[in-house]
Amino acid sequence: MMGKKRRSSVDRGDTAAPANAKAKKSRVGGRQPKEAAPEETVQGVFGVFLREAGVTLKQGGIPNEIAVDQVVFQKRIQQKLQKSPRYPGIVQEFISGMESHIEDPERFRNCLLPCVPRVADGDLSRVSSFQESLLRMLLGIEMLQTLIINTLLEKLPEFMLDGADDGGLSIPRVIINQLKWLDTIVDTKELAAKLMELISVAPVDVQRDIITSLPEILEDSQHNDIARELNFLLKENTQLTVPILDALSSLSLSSSLLTEVREAVMATLAAVQLEDLPVVVKFILHSISGSDANEVVCSLREKLELEQCVLPPVLQASQNCLKGKGTARSSSAPSAGSSQDVVALVVDGIKSAVRFQKTISEAWLKAIESVEDHKVIDLLVLFTLHSINANQSRRGAERLLKVKVRTGQIQETLLQKTFRDNTQVLRGYFSSILALAQSLLRSPDPCVVPFGGHMYRHSFTAFDSYCQQEVVGSLVTHVCSGVGGEVDTALELLCGLVTEKPSQMALYAVFVKGILDYMDNLTPQQIRKLFHLLSRLAFGEQQGSHIQDDMHIVIRKQLSSTVPKYKRIGIIGAVMIVGSMGSLGSKTKETQNGSFPQETFSQVTALLDLVLSSSESSPEAAALYYDELANLILGSTLDPQVQEKIGQRVLDNFQNDYVVDLEPEITGSFPYPARVMYNLDEDEGQGHIAINLMPLLARDLQFKGEQPTKKADKRVSPLCLSPFFRLLRLCEEKQNQGDLDEIDALLGCPLILTDMDVVDKIESLSKAEREFLCNLLFYAINWFREVINAFCKQKEIEMKMRVMTRLQNITYLQTLLERALAGTPGYVPPVANFDGESTDVIIPAAPLNKAKRDGSGKKRKASATKNSSESSFQLEEGTEADETLQEQQEKETEKETRQGISLVSYRQFFRELDMDVLNVLQCGLLSRSLLDSELNTKVREEVLLGPAELVFLLEDMLRKLEFCLKAAPAKRAPFLKGRADKSVGFSHLQQRSPVDVASFCIQLLPDLCSHLENCHSHFQTLLSENNGVVDGPATDTQEHQLMSSGFQLLLRVLNTTLSWSGFSQPGQRNLLKKALGVLAGRLKEGGAELNLEQLVKHSFEYLLNFSSTMPNLSIALSLSQLLSTVSEKGGKPAAYREQTASLARRFLSQQWVTASGEKERGSKFNEALHTLLSIYLEHVSDVLKAVEEIAGEGIPEILNASKDESSTSWPTLNRQTFLVFYKVLMAELEKAVRKIPPGKLCDNAEAQSEKLLTWNLAVRDFHVLVNLVKVFDSRPVVSVCLKYGRLFLESFLKLGMPLLDYSFKRHKEDVQSLLKTFQLSTRQLHHMCGHSKIHQDMSLTNHVPALKKSLELFLYRVKAMLALNNCQEAFWMGNLKNRNLKGEEILSQRSQESEEEEEEEEQRSPAQDQLEEEDEDSDSDRGRKSNREEVPDQDKSDDSD
């Protein structure tokens, strides 16, 4: 005890260094001291023992010196203490001396710092270069350790509040460092308790130092205890989150404690400071085990709100202003840069976790997949997963992103927010973003393509120039790929980037210019976009002179080409350049006094002259030039000076080329007598002009035969008439703000044609005369179509009447053209749409007889050599003579009712009607009954549509909607590209977006509903007049056919409009409500106030009212499809299933008769019946019961009936439609059993019994359908049975057999009964396989191998079920004879062995049969394997099995 109070004295004499000692260069300082440092001699045990052990204590800030290795030093001290006679008291005395020595802070600091080696006589080998501090060496001595630790921890509070000294040294931190990595700790538990006690009172900085050092101080045995203490501390003090988590990450913890700690950390996640977030996330992810990965990741994703980590742009700007003014900001409001750094660290933590642990990457994918409301973290994680080299996570991220985009759960707004707030973070994942954008843009699914475009656009906007270059390069690659949808989207994106970022895109113009080398694969519409893009880059505000020169070179080269394809490219490109050079505002900086620059005007004029001169020799090229110039004038704003120049030249040339003054006599040599036709001007004083059509056509034919002799001769082709007029009227509209007064005479002026009675004599004309007549009709129709395009928007009643008359002219001329084309086989009409893929048109194959058969919808019996699925019914021979007689009667009837062919295949040869023409549908409907009731008095007072004109407009509208709103997904271009181009005739429509088209149709919905109600009223009146009979004497067959067509077209137009996938997009929800509001408003006013569900309900009820007047089955099908579409628009489609099924059942139970009194039949009727029956079975509540009703009640009624006799319960079912019913029943039965939930071991008795009952019903239905093949044994029926029989069997194996496994013991009799019934069906399927082999029919034998495999699988599956239930002794495998459909044994396989087996089968007990018969259906292969040595002939005959 006295040792503590005694102070050590300093004897300066003893500390002097020897004079002759050589000054050595310090190993630590690296320089030679001028004089030796003064030594400090400590009296007492402490000082003596240290000197004797080899340590010299220094003073004045000089490090202590050690002359021996630290291990030797520790051994000497330990020996001196142990050998001392005062041991163990000497230990306390030694410690007291140490405490006295370190009372002085300077000496204490020296003892904490590493000792310096002292080398004598140049011996460098005795002491290592690095030595520990004096206190740390003493801590290595076990007998001193606890006492020294206590002394250090008592000294530590003295320095807690002191900061670092001048050298940056923190005494508390150095003290803690003395305790790290000790070889052994004598009392770990006490040390841990003292450290935790110290933590509770220390300041934050010292707390952090102690906590982070704990794993390096304590032994593993203390890890769990200290972790609990830290966990408790974590909940109390969030400031220590990072050091605690660092410490916990390094501790070895039990799984239960780790889970407890992780849950505590997760609970504090919302309160964690922003800069601590990365450490927290990293700890959570690295503490996950495989079993709880999904749960932890889901919870982490839910609580991780990265949106709150980044300030909005407005606040960022305000904080930057405050920072500029020198205003101090609090640490809790980090800058945008620091917050993005935090997000980057969080994402890096996630990346390191998913890279090395597959379970975590899978958990993130599942967590994102399981939610619908997505956050920024979801996109960041998907990009991170894609950036990892592991193929599985890359593919999983790509697949999941596509699914979420397709379902609309991840939208462009989330992507925009992610790019806006985390630009720096996303920059590191640019390669993944680019790869994902490429994949989305190349996807065949049109729903995900736009999202890929948004990724490209945001990448270009947000990232640096390198990324922008990569984006442009990737888009150019897409354009050059040649895949339609991909090219369109990429060009749209490039055009959008040029509009939004012209200065930045100008830097990469050389990339875009490279597309000029790949124009061969581009469509005209894509070429327009390309040249629009390039001309904007070349002639926009950021002018690129090098691009201008290259474009002029390309244009001149293409225009001078004699190949039509390249000349077309040159014309399109030149017109687009004219648009960019001549548009308003393109040269705003160079304009002087608001006038257009003369130099630019001269260039525009010269380019137009060049195009015109290059296309004069080819009427097709000239017509394309007129069309392209018309599109330019319609879609862009040209300078008035350029506009006037074009307009004046067009007006003069049109008058000179195509308009003539009427003369009393028309002179010239023509194939037919010339006559002025279709004049609407009653006053002969209005100009006396006409369109010089037939003379021009005759002159053009002469021009083709002989070349012009003079250069002045100009070729004026009637081919350019319609395009030239379109250009003329658009110029007039533009210059006169929509007023067409100057050219309105062209609406009523006549055409120089010939008397159309010549069509009746078509068969007596020569081929050249027939073709001339067809050409004349095509040109006349196309002229009238362009006239209607021009004047359809006029408001005056007189103009509307004339437009209606021109519509009537078209419908009449089309009937004449149908007859003319029927008499002119091999005729190729003149081109009408000049921007198609190719002007090399496909000649429509339309033989007269075939067209007649297709037009009337009747069915022609196929010849005996053809294998048609519709016509191969094996009927009684007695009916063939009757059918031949019936066909002759049908032919005669057709010649009387209709002559000519359908114009469907000739649509590409008619000029495109503008969308505005459909506004004519706003006129009322004029039917014959209306004329009779009003006695023609009000016909001229109100403009009314006739049935033929209504059908004409609706057909055009439906084609437009199906093209625009039912866009097919982008597909890879086939190796041999087909010549047919579906976009021909829709070039004007392609200028409008689907949203515009849908909005336009919805505006017309009230008028379409009016026409629908008029058609309904017409047929209602017809039925009442004929006492409910469709084919009454008052029925006008032609009008009935037109009104029926109009009725069906109206329903199909409504269905196509409401089926548009764009309604599912959030922005178009109001458009859908508006459409349904129109339908609901016809039934109940105030539709604007109803919600979507109510709108669907009232719309459904409104449309349901039309079901009472269906003229034919096709219209009934269209109504059913429309009702199904409407019901799906609400949130409860199941509520309408029963009504839809009931309606379909009513239609199927109706006898359908044509207006002429005959039963409906033919391929079109069968197709409609197939779809309607499918709708019925899809919507009915119990499919199995419905199948049983038809197969068990309806079909037996026609088994013994005549050919034309129908079932009484299902009038649409007869022998001719049996195949349709059979195919649908089999398909829907197979689809229904796939929806039966599989049996599970945990199912209770009631659930098992219910599923077993369902399968019993399904198997019974299947047995009935399979047995029908014995009666209806035609090839198509057998083919259907083989195909769907295998599918049914596979579903039974997959879903039904597990149920039998678990139900066998509890419901043995039910299982046996089910298998016995199913065995009868599988045996019949086996007979069908034999039947197919006998007849060697490839279409049947293709199904046999897969079916045989399934039958064998069924055999072994039953054996496995019996073995599972300990009944394997009941299983027996034998030989099943090959038989045909009638049950007769196939003679080529008869053998002695099979006869013996047959005898054995007869001797078996019934009880054995019950369990064994199910195993015989496909065991023939197994049986034959065992008999191959005994029956070699049988083996040979069965090789094909």
Side-chain angles (χ1 to χ4, degrees):
M1 295 298 292
M2 295 300 292
K4 283 188 178 181
K5 296 179 180 179
R6 191 168 58 242
R7 295 284 181 268
S8 60
S9 61
V10 179
D11 186 355
R12 298 184 183 278
D14 293 340
T15 60
N20 60 351
K22 294 181 180 180
K24 299 294 179 184
K25 196 172 184 180
S26 171
R27 288 176 181 268
V28 179
R31 63 173 182 263
Q32 186 174 350
K34 293 181 180 179
E35 58 181 10
E39 293 185 7
E40 184 177 9
T41 304
V42 181
Q43 295 296 336
V45 175
F46 178 69
V48 173
F49 279 15
L50 288 184
R51 275 197 304 273
E52 292 177 357
V55 169
T56 306
L57 298 175
K58 297 290 184 178
Q59 63 179 0
I62 306 301
N64 299 324
E65 291 184 354
I66 182 169
V68 296
D69 197 76
Q70 60 189 26
V71 178
V72 176
F73 167 76
Q74 289 171 336
K75 189 173 182 181
R76 287 178 181 177
I77 293 290
Q78 190 169 0
Q79 287 176 351
K80 288 184 177 294
L81 290 171
Q82 287 175 342
K83 291 178 181 180
S84 171
R86 288 181 287 169
Y87 183 80
I90 190 70
V91 174
Q92 186 61 46
E93 195 174 336
F94 181 86
I95 293 299
S96 299
M98 183 196 73
E99 289 176 348
S100 301
H101 177 72
I102 63 177
E103 280 292 329
D104 179 56
E106 190 64 34
R107 281 184 259 172
F108 183 44
R109 183 176 181 275
N110 261 6
C111 293
L112 291 172
L113 294 176
C115 295
V116 177
R118 183 177 64 191
V119 182
D121 303 327
D123 186 4
L124 300 175
S125 63
R126 290 179 60 191
V127 185
S128 63
S129 60
F130 175 78
Q131 297 293 333
E132 299 283 4
S133 69
L134 174 61
L135 289 173
R136 182 164 176 82
M137 287 190 289
L138 293 176
L139 283 169
I141 303 170
E142 292 186 10
M143 65 177 65
L144 300 175
Q145 187 185 83
T146 305
L147 297 171
I148 293 175
I149 287 175
N150 292 341
T151 302
L152 288 176
L153 294 181
E154 287 173 3
K155 289 283 290 181
L156 194 145
E158 297 178 15
F159 303 92
M160 276 184 183
L161 300 177
D162 297 342
D165 59 11
D166 296 338
L169 187 67
S170 171
I171 298 299
R173 184 176 301 155
V174 178
I175 294 174
I176 297 300
N177 287 342
Q178 307 303 309
L179 305 177
K180 291 182 180 179
W181 307 116
L182 293 175
D183 292 337
T184 182
I185 295 178
V186 178
D187 194 350
T188 309
K189 193 170 183 180
E190 185 182 354
L191 175 59
K194 286 183 178 294
L195 287 174
M196 291 308 298
E197 185 180 346
L198 196 59
I199 289 172
S200 64
V201 297
V204 174
D205 292 340
V206 178
Q207 285 178 323
R208 287 175 177 161
D209 290 336
I210 297 175
I211 291 170
T212 52
S213 303
L214 286 175
E216 300 157 2
I217 296 174
L218 302 178
E219 293 181 349
D220 290 355
S221 59
Q222 290 297 310
H223 282 188
N224 282 334
D225 294 335
I226 204 72
R228 289 190 180 89
E229 297 282 346
L230 291 176
N231 187 22
F232 179 75
L233 185 61
L234 179 67
K235 297 175 184 177
E236 291 186 339
N237 191 350
T238 56
Q239 287 183 317
L240 299 175
T241 300
V242 173
I244 291 176
L245 293 183
D246 277 342
L248 289 172
S249 299
S250 304
L251 296 176
S252 177
L253 307 180
S254 65
S255 58
S256 59
L257 181 59
L258 188 64
T259 303
E260 182 184 343
V261 172
R262 187 179 60 237
E263 289 175 354
V265 173
M266 193 79 79
T268 62
L269 191 63
V272 168
Q273 292 186 3
L274 183 60
E275 59 270 17
D276 299 342
L277 190 60
V279 180
V280 175
V281 172
K282 186 175 181 181
F283 171 78
I284 292 172
L285 290 176
H286 284 272
S287 64
I288 292 178
S289 62
S291 59
D292 56 3
N294 291 340
E295 181 184 353
V296 174
V297 169
C298 282
S299 180
L300 176 63
R301 182 207 158 274
E302 185 180 349
K303 295 182 178 181
L304 205 56
E305 298 288 348
L306 294 186
E307 291 89 339
Q308 299 176 3
C309 298
V310 183
L311 294 175
V314 178
L315 292 180
Q316 287 180 18
S318 64
Q319 285 210 353
N320 290 336
C321 292
L322 291 173
K323 184 179 179 182
K325 293 177 182 178
T327 307
R329 296 176 300 162
S330 66
S331 61
S332 61
S335 65
S338 66
S339 61
Q340 288 206 28
D341 292 341
V342 170
V343 175
L345 290 172
V346 170
V347 176
D348 284 344
I350 296 173
K351 184 175 182 179
S352 66
V354 299
R355 172 176 286 171
F356 299 113
Q357 295 189 55
K358 183 180 176 183
T359 54
I360 297 182
S361 66
E362 292 174 350
W364 271 109
L365 288 173
K366 289 180 181 177
I368 297 173
E369 189 173 11
S370 62
V371 297
E372 296 182 2
D373 186 18
H374 290 280
K375 305 187 290 187
V376 169
I377 185 65
D378 297 333
L379 275 180
L380 292 176
V381 169
L382 287 176
F383 295 153
T384 304
L385 289 171
H386 190 274
S387 67
I388 298 173
N389 292 328
N391 285 331
Q392 187 172 1
S393 66
R394 181 186 292 265
R395 287 195 300 267
E398 184 177 325
R399 177 195 62 81
L400 185 56
L401 181 62
K402 286 182 178 178
V403 169
K404 292 294 182 180
V405 172
R406 185 183 301 114
T407 55
Q409 295 174 9
I410 291 182
Q411 296 179 359
E412 197 261 340
T413 50
L414 180 64
L415 184 70
Q416 183 179 358
K417 185 192 301 181
T418 308
F419 269 91
R420 184 191 66 206
D421 298 341
N422 305 281
T423 305
Q424 296 175 16
V425 183
L426 291 175
R427 177 60 183 85
Y429 298 95
F430 171 70
S431 57
S432 288
I433 294 172
L434 194 67
L436 283 169
Q438 289 173 350
S439 176
L440 290 174
L441 210 67
R442 290 187 177 129
S443 172
D445 187 349
C447 298
V448 303
V449 172
F451 194 83
H454 294 318
M455 292 176 70
Y456 273 124
R457 184 165 52 82
H458 288 301
S459 299
F460 186 90
T461 307
F463 296 149
D464 52 29
S465 58
Y466 167 76
C467 297
Q468 291 176 343
Q469 176 180 314
E470 291 296 309
V471 167
V472 174
S474 182
L475 288 174
V476 169
T477 305
H478 284 302
V479 174
C480 300
S481 69
V483 182
E486 190 179 333
V487 175
D488 289 333
T489 309
L491 281 172
E492 286 288 349
L493 285 169
L494 287 170
C495 290
L497 291 176
V498 168
T499 305
E500 295 173 13
K501 308 282 182 182
S503 57
Q504 296 173 11
M505 277 297 292
L507 302 173
Y508 314 108
V510 67
F511 291 96
V512 183
K513 190 185 68 176
I515 305 176
L516 291 172
D517 299 330
Y518 295 88
M519 286 191 296
D520 285 1
N521 295 326
L522 301 184
T523 65
Q525 184 69 13
Q526 292 163 352
I527 291 171
R528 280 192 203 99
K529 290 180 183 176
L530 173 61
F531 277 105
H532 170 71
L533 168 67
L534 288 170
S535 59
R536 285 288 296 272
L537 288 173
F539 302 100
E541 296 176 7
Q542 305 288 330
Q543 292 211 5
S545 57
H546 62 290
I547 309 180
Q548 292 181 10
D549 296 339
D550 288 345
M551 288 183 69
H552 279 297
I553 291 171
V554 169
I555 294 299
R556 287 180 177 274
K557 178 182 176 182
Q558 305 283 21
L559 286 173
S560 61
S561 173
T562 56
V563 180
K565 177 179 180 179
Y566 297 121
K567 188 180 285 287
R568 184 167 69 244
I569 292 174
I571 292 170
I572 293 173
V575 172
M576 297 311 293
I577 291 177
V578 167
S580 292
M581 293 175 67
S583 62
L584 284 171
S586 62
K587 303 269 185 175
T588 51
K589 295 181 180 178
E590 299 177 13
T591 53
Q592 299 173 355
N593 301 324
S595 62
F596 196 70
Q598 189 59 39
E599 182 185 353
T600 307
F601 180 71
S602 302
Q603 291 178 355
V604 170
T605 308
L607 191 54
L608 288 172
D609 291 338
L610 174 65
V611 181
L612 189 60
S613 61
S614 302
S615 58
E616 276 183 344
S617 59
S618 167
E620 288 84 1
L624 175 65
Y625 167 58
Y626 297 144
D627 271 344
E628 290 300 314
L629 202 54
N631 288 339
L632 175 66
I633 289 170
L634 180 65
S636 63
T637 308
L638 294 177
D639 185 85
Q641 193 176 346
V642 178
Q643 182 78 55
E644 186 179 353
K645 178 72 175 178
I646 296 174
Q648 189 58 46
R649 181 184 294 181
V650 168
L651 183 60
D652 294 341
N653 289 343
F654 186 82
Q655 288 177 344
N656 296 333
D657 294 346
Y658 297 104
V659 180
V660 295
D661 295 329
L662 280 177
E663 301 291 340
E665 291 184 5
I666 303 171
T667 58
S669 59
F670 313 120
Y672 304 108
R675 182 176 173 184
V676 178
M677 303 281 288
Y678 305 114
N679 185 8
L680 302 184
D681 294 325
E682 298 175 1
D683 184 5
E684 293 296 331
Q686 290 188 5
H688 301 284
I689 60 170
I691 301 299
N692 194 26
L693 187 53
M694 192 168 79
L696 278 178
L697 180 57
R699 197 180 309 154
D700 190 56
L701 290 175
Q702 292 176 1
F703 191 93
K704 287 180 181 177
E706 46 187 68
Q707 294 296 324
T709 55
K710 300 178 184 178
K711 289 184 180 180
D713 288 349
K714 180 182 177 183
R715 181 180 179 184
V716 179
S717 170
L719 198 69
C720 301
L721 172 61
S722 298
F724 210 164
F725 174 68
R726 177 177 174 79
L727 175 60
L728 170 63
R729 69 99 171 173
L730 286 172
C731 287
E732 290 294 322
E733 273 188 0
K734 209 74 169 180
Q735 287 177 312
N736 302 314
Q737 288 75 45
D739 189 2
L740 298 178
D741 286 347
E742 292 192 15
I743 60 169
D744 61 356
L746 293 174
L747 174 59
C749 78
L751 284 76
I752 299 179
L753 299 172
T754 186
D755 195 338
M756 290 305 163
D757 293 341
V758 71
V759 176
D760 297 330
K761 308 169 186 174
I762 188 81
E763 295 178 1
S764 63
L765 302 176
S766 65
K767 181 182 178 183
E769 289 172 338
R770 293 179 188 181
E771 291 185 351
F772 184 90
L773 179 60
C774 290
N775 279 339
L776 203 58
L777 288 169
F778 268 108
Y779 285 132
I781 290 172
N782 283 327
W783 165 255
F784 286 143
R785 289 172 79 100
E786 279 301 342
V787 166
I788 290 173
N789 278 341
F791 295 98
C792 63
K793 290 184 283 188
Q794 302 300 309
K795 303 298 182 185
E796 297 85 358
I797 291 293
E798 185 63 28
M799 300 296 278
K800 286 186 176 182
M801 289 300 304
R802 293 190 172 198
V803 168
M804 197 65 68
T805 306
R806 288 307 184 210
L807 264 178
Q808 294 169 358
N809 296 152
I810 290 175
T811 54
Y812 173 68
L813 287 174
Q814 284 188 169
T815 58
L816 296 179
L817 181 60
E818 289 174 353
R819 292 160 56 192
L821 287 172
T824 316
Y827 163 72
V828 180
V831 182
N833 300 285
F834 304 94
D835 60 347
E837 276 297 310
S838 173
T839 52
D840 301 329
V841 296
I842 303 168
I843 302 173
L848 179 61
N849 290 341
K850 182 179 179 182
K852 286 185 177 181
R853 306 305 300 173
D854 291 344
S856 63
K858 301 294 190 302
K859 176 178 172 182
R860 177 185 294 268
K861 184 173 177 67
S863 61
T865 58
K866 291 188 178 180
N867 292 322
S868 169
S869 61
E870 264 77 41
S871 59
S872 58
F873 252 41
Q874 296 179 357
L875 302 174
E876 293 79 9
E877 293 180 1
T879 62
E880 291 184 0
D882 297 337
E883 190 169 14
T884 306
L885 178 62
Q886 183 181 356
E887 278 192 8
Q888 292 175 355
Q889 293 173 350
E890 288 175 1
K891 287 180 182 179
E892 293 172 1
T893 306
E894 283 177 340
K895 286 184 179 178
E896 294 173 1
T897 56
R898 180 177 179 185
Q899 293 184 354
I901 65 172
S902 171
L903 295 178
V904 171
S905 53
Y906 289 89
R907 283 174 185 156
Q908 59 178 318
F909 301 105
F910 293 114
R911 294 287 292 176
E912 180 181 359
L913 290 177
D914 293 341
M915 284 290 288
D916 293 324
V917 173
L918 299 177
N919 285 318
V920 179
L921 287 168
Q922 294 173 349
C923 302
L925 178 62
L926 174 68
S927 64
R928 194 159 298 186
S929 57
L930 181 65
L931 279 176
D932 294 340
S933 62
E934 300 190 0
L935 300 176
N936 297 326
T937 52
K938 296 183 180 179
V939 176
R940 302 295 294 180
E941 295 176 13
E942 185 182 357
V943 185
L944 295 174
L945 269 174
E949 290 70 48
L950 176 67
V951 170
F952 172 77
L953 291 173
L954 289 174
E955 284 177 343
D956 185 74
M957 184 177 186
L958 182 61
R959 283 197 298 272
K960 285 179 164 59
L961 294 182
E962 288 180 340
F963 176 80
C964 195
L965 301 186
K966 280 191 174 181
K971 295 180 180 176
R972 294 280 163 195
F975 180 71
L976 295 173
K977 191 174 181 181
R979 294 170 66 192
D981 181 18
K982 294 181 180 179
S983 64
V984 171
F986 296 110
S987 59
H988 305 158
L989 186 65
Q990 286 178 308
Q991 312 292 331
R992 306 180 69 147
S993 68
V995 179
D996 292 339
V997 175
S999 302
F1000 182 86
C1001 293
I1002 290 170
Q1003 289 176 357
L1004 285 177
L1005 270 185
D1007 304 294
L1008 296 176
C1009 289
S1010 298
H1011 288 302
L1012 198 61
E1013 291 159 11
N1014 288 338
C1015 290
H1016 173 68
S1017 302
H1018 171 84
F1019 287 109
Q1020 208 168 25
T1021 307
L1022 200 63
L1023 286 172
S1024 62
E1025 289 177 354
N1026 294 332
N1027 297 322
V1029 180
V1030 178
D1031 54 331
T1035 304
D1036 184 338
T1037 307
Q1038 187 175 1
E1039 186 183 30
H1040 186 278
Q1041 186 179 356
L1042 284 171
M1043 295 297 286
S1044 299
S1045 299
F1047 205 167
Q1048 183 173 9
L1049 286 167
L1050 284 163
L1051 293 170
R1052 289 181 63 189
V1053 163
L1054 289 176
N1055 189 33
T1056 308
T1057 304
L1058 293 174
S1059 300
W1060 179 45
S1061 59
F1063 284 132
S1064 60
Q1065 300 169 3
Q1068 312 305 332
R1069 206 67 176 166
N1070 289 332
L1071 203 60
L1072 174 62
K1073 290 185 70 174
K1074 183 180 177 183
L1076 293 173
V1078 173
L1079 298 179
R1082 311 293 290 193
L1083 195 66
K1084 181 179 182 180
E1085 295 183 359
E1089 303 170 0
L1090 302 175
N1091 59 30
L1092 185 62
E1093 201 58 51
Q1094 292 171 324
L1095 289 173
V1096 170
K1097 179 175 181 291
H1098 292 308
S1099 300
F1100 192 90
E1101 291 173 357
Y1102 167 68
L1103 294 170
L1104 204 57
N1105 292 330
F1106 296 106
S1107 61
S1108 60
T1109 56
M1110 295 287 102
N1112 57 52
L1113 185 67
S1114 298
I1115 299 176
L1117 171 62
S1118 299
L1119 178 62
S1120 302
Q1121 290 172 327
L1122 176 57
L1123 287 168
S1124 180
T1125 301
V1126 170
S1127 67
E1128 291 168 1
K1129 295 302 174 186
K1132 303 174 183 176
Y1136 305 95
R1137 293 178 65 85
E1138 186 178 347
Q1139 288 176 282
T1140 307
S1142 174
L1143 182 67
R1145 167 68 192 262
R1146 199 179 91 202
F1147 290 149
L1148 291 168
S1149 303
Q1150 188 173 332
Q1151 191 74 261
W1152 296 100
V1153 183
T1154 63
S1156 58
E1158 300 174 355
K1159 281 186 180 180
E1160 276 196 67
R1161 66 181 68 192
S1163 59
K1164 290 183 179 179
F1165 175 77
N1166 287 346
E1167 288 173 11
L1169 183 61
H1170 183 285
T1171 312
L1172 189 62
L1173 184 57
S1174 299
I1175 289 175
Y1176 168 66
L1177 292 176
E1178 285 168 5
H1179 288 80
V1180 75
S1181 57
D1182 189 345
V1183 182
L1184 300 179
K1185 186 177 179 182
V1187 170
E1188 183 180 29
E1189 182 184 356
I1190 298 174
E1193 298 177 15
I1195 294 178
E1197 292 174 353
I1198 63 168
L1199 292 180
N1200 299 318
S1202 63
K1203 175 189 169 186
D1204 292 327
E1205 194 173 342
S1206 300
S1207 164
T1208 52
S1209 55
W1210 297 86
T1212 48
L1213 172 62
N1214 53 43
R1215 281 185 169 269
Q1216 293 177 334
T1217 60
F1218 169 78
L1219 177 62
V1220 177
F1221 271 79
Y1222 190 74
K1223 189 172 185 179
V1224 175
L1225 291 175
M1226 287 292 277
E1228 293 299 327
L1229 176 63
E1230 189 271 330
K1231 198 184 296 182
V1233 296
R1234 274 191 279 131
K1235 295 178 182 177
I1236 302 175
K1240 298 178 182 177
L1241 188 60
C1242 57
D1243 286 343
N1244 55 32
E1246 186 180 353
Q1248 281 186 358
S1249 180
E1250 185 179 346
K1251 291 177 184 177
L1252 205 58
L1253 186 64
T1254 306
W1255 270 111
N1256 259 310
L1257 184 58
V1259 168
R1260 194 168 67 218
D1261 289 347
F1262 182 68
H1263 176 59
V1264 172
L1265 290 173
V1266 169
N1267 270 351
L1268 287 173
V1269 179
K1270 294 179 180 178
V1271 182
F1272 301 92
D1273 57 353
S1274 63
R1275 182 180 58 81
V1277 176
V1278 176
S1279 177
V1280 168
C1281 191
L1282 288 173
K1283 175 184 176 181
Y1284 290 102
R1286 175 181 62 83
L1287 295 175
F1288 186 93
L1289 182 56
E1290 289 175 354
S1291 297
F1292 184 79
L1293 289 171
K1294 183 178 179 181
L1295 303 172
M1297 287 307 298
L1299 175 67
L1300 302 191
D1301 291 342
Y1302 308 134
S1303 308
F1304 186 79
K1305 291 180 180 178
R1306 196 178 294 173
H1307 307 279
K1308 182 181 290 186
E1309 294 182 0
D1310 292 338
V1311 172
Q1312 289 176 355
S1313 172
L1314 186 149
L1315 286 174
K1316 187 173 180 66
T1317 306
F1318 198 46
Q1319 182 262 341
L1320 297 174
S1321 303
T1322 54
R1323 181 169 290 180
Q1324 183 64 26
L1325 288 173
H1326 185 81
H1327 296 340
M1328 288 182 210
C1329 294
H1331 168 84
S1332 305
K1333 286 162 59 180
I1334 292 173
H1335 290 273
Q1336 296 182 351
D1337 190 330
M1338 288 296 294
S1339 63
L1340 297 180
T1341 54
N1342 285 339
H1343 297 289
V1344 170
L1347 179 58
K1348 281 284 187 84
K1349 180 182 178 182
S1350 296
L1351 289 169
E1352 190 168 352
L1353 282 173
F1354 174 65
L1355 172 71
Y1356 288 109
R1357 189 64 183 80
V1358 171
K1359 182 177 181 180
M1361 182 207 58
L1362 293 172
L1364 182 67
N1365 290 278
N1366 301 318
C1367 296
Q1368 58 265 38
E1369 68 278 356
F1371 187 84
W1372 177 86
M1373 192 185 299
N1375 232 1
L1376 185 66
K1377 299 180 180 63
N1378 286 310
R1379 302 179 185 273
N1380 58 21
L1381 290 181
K1382 296 180 181 179
E1384 300 168 348
E1385 185 178 355
I1386 298 174
L1387 297 178
S1388 61
Q1389 297 191 2
R1390 185 183 297 277
S1391 64
Q1392 184 66 31
E1393 285 78 11
S1394 62
E1395 290 176 0
E1396 292 173 359
E1397 287 165 3
E1398 194 172 32
E1399 292 173 3
E1400 290 174 5
E1401 283 182 359
E1402 291 173 1
Q1403 295 171 3
R1404 290 167 61 210
S1405 65
Q1408 214 174 3
D1409 285 342
Q1410 196 170 13
L1411 281 177
E1412 295 170 3
E1413 281 185 332
E1414 71 272 7
D1415 307 324
E1416 294 183 44
D1417 48 4
S1418 65
D1419 58 359
S1420 55
D1421 294 68
R1422 306 295 303 171
R1424 282 196 292 278
K1425 285 177 186 175
S1426 62
N1427 293 335
R1428 281 184 177 175
E1429 292 183 3
E1430 299 174 13
V1431 194
D1433 291 337
Q1434 182 179 350
D1435 180 48
K1436 290 179 184 177
S1437 64
D1438 288 342
D1439 281 345
S1440 61
D1441 283 351

